[in-house]
Amino acid sequence: MAVRYELIKTCKQTGARLGKLHTPHGTIDTPVFMPVGTQATVKTMSPEELKAMGAGIILSNTYHLFLRPGHEIVREAGGLHGFMNWDRAILTDSGGFQVFSLSNLRKITEEGVSFRSHLNGEKLFIGPEEATQIQNALGADIFMAFDECAPYPAEYDYVQKSMERTTRWAERCLKAHTRPNEQALFGIVQGGMYHDLRAQSAKDLVSMDFPGYAIGGLSVGEPFSLMYEVLESTVPLLPTNKPRYLMGVGSPDALIDGAIRGIDMFDCVLPTRIARNGTCMTSQGRLVIRNAKYARDFTPLDPNCDCYTCKNYTRAYIRHLVKSEETFGIRLTTYHNLHFLVKLMENVRQAIAEDRLQDFRDQFFAQYGLGED
Ligand SMILES: CNc1nc2c(CCNCC3CCCCC3)c3nc(N)[nH]c(=O)c3cc2[nH]1
Ligand SMILES: [Zn+2]
């Protein structure tokens, strides 16, 4: 069995779960935030720094690596683990979402998606079989079925047709999967914001008995309240002995509120992306380091943080580096932001263990709301 989820306990105050995800590259405590490494690197971070901050699993991506350097090169390098010298767990997304968000001139049919490379305009095609073969070459411990993330908003019958096709694609991925004992293929629940379509998608995928389930089609511009409504109606339809992965989420508040609704795994480009323009997540909310008020501020980014950045550098110094476009500056903000979310999930797990996640949520939100948005 490539990946096995072990449910340790459920929080008595909420629906949150404490679990362990056993993979061929180590065991990960859940709920977990997974740093994103789009092009086989978590931007500006070394594997040693990712380990130092406690990251046990990172993401990479079919679409980007298929385009460059090509999955065959990664396969020859010993898969992603060998290529990027990362010996802990890796999860790859199937590329469907990126085709829609990055490439242009795309056409979707029953077979799959034709599109032009966003790098050189080359005409390309990815379908369920191709996405599965590429991910087999990349060798991630967990990989995703090829799916369509329906746009938001979208008409009921478009979402229905898209969801039903995604279910047929999931079946094709299962058939094309050659190494089920080494790599776990997760199904992705779709169905837009329509509860009956979500239920149909969940029911059909659960009947195919995947080792884990992602909830896709969310965090696509819908209000948080709608995302939580969809979670509340979808998560209960998924088996309790399998992990649930909410794709593309998210901000600190969404990680806590997603965990409360039974989500075990999260990924989001936010911490690394905002770090590159000098925006930092702190326990008092977001901090925009370029702000002139930090020019003579010789305190750490976050007084409550014990990360490498906060132990050794000041706001004044980091502001200077970021304004001077010194790469070390965004390395320091990236390290801190990733550490912040990894640490936040440690605190969430501790709160679940002690049946007090609702109390933790309330105190975190009260403090976090103070910052600049
Ligand atoms: C940000 N919101 C959001 N993201 C979604 C994503 C992407 C999740 N992040 C993957 C990483 C992105 C950067 C490169 C490395 C992989 C989704 N992916 C899939 N396959 N299906 C979704 O419905 C789907 C839905 C998503 N919603
Ligand atoms: Zn820090």
Side-chain angles (χ1 to χ4, degrees), residues 123-163:
K123 278 200 78 143
L124 297 166
F125 172 84
I126 296 184
E129 292 75 15
E130 291 74 12
T132 302
Q133 284 144 19
I134 293 167
Q135 293 179 96
N136 282 163
L138 300 177
D141 303 285
I142 299 172
F143 72 97
M144 308 312 287
F146 189 68
D147 66 325
E148 181 192 359
C149 172
Y152 172 78
E155 292 293 316
Y156 183 90
D157 46 12
Y158 179 86
V159 174
Q160 181 175 33
K161 293 273 176 298
S162 164
M163 177 275 285

Side-chain angles (χ1 to χ4, degrees), residues 49-98:
E49 286 164 331
L50 290 169
K51 287 182 181 175
M53 68 173 76
I57 179 168
I58 59 173
L59 257 74
S60 200
N61 189 270
T62 298
Y63 173 81
H64 296 85
L65 295 168
F66 172 60
L67 264 57
R68 184 175 57 186
H71 57 292
E72 288 311 329
I73 287 179
V74 177
R75 186 206 305 275
E76 288 160 35
L80 272 174
H81 288 92
F83 196 46
M84 62 188 290
N85 181 37
W86 174 253
D87 61 5
R88 292 185 176 182
I90 298 177
L91 182 152
T92 48
D93 194 4
S94 49
F97 183 79
Q98 284 73 38

Side-chain angles (χ1 to χ4, degrees), residues 281 300-302 304-311 332 335-337 339-340:
M281 298 170 167
L301 284 178
D302 185 343
N304 304 319
C305 181
D306 62 352
C307 85
Y308 169 71
T309 300
C310 295
K311 278 195 302 208
L332 290 172
Y335 189 103
H336 167 79
N337 281 356
H339 176 276
F340 181 85

Side-chain angles (χ1 to χ4, degrees), residues 13-32:
Q13 254 189 5
T14 64
R17 301 142 38 101
L18 188 62
K20 286 187 183 298
L21 195 58
H22 300 282
T23 82
H25 285 93
T27 292
I28 297 113
D29 292 315
T30 64
V32 63

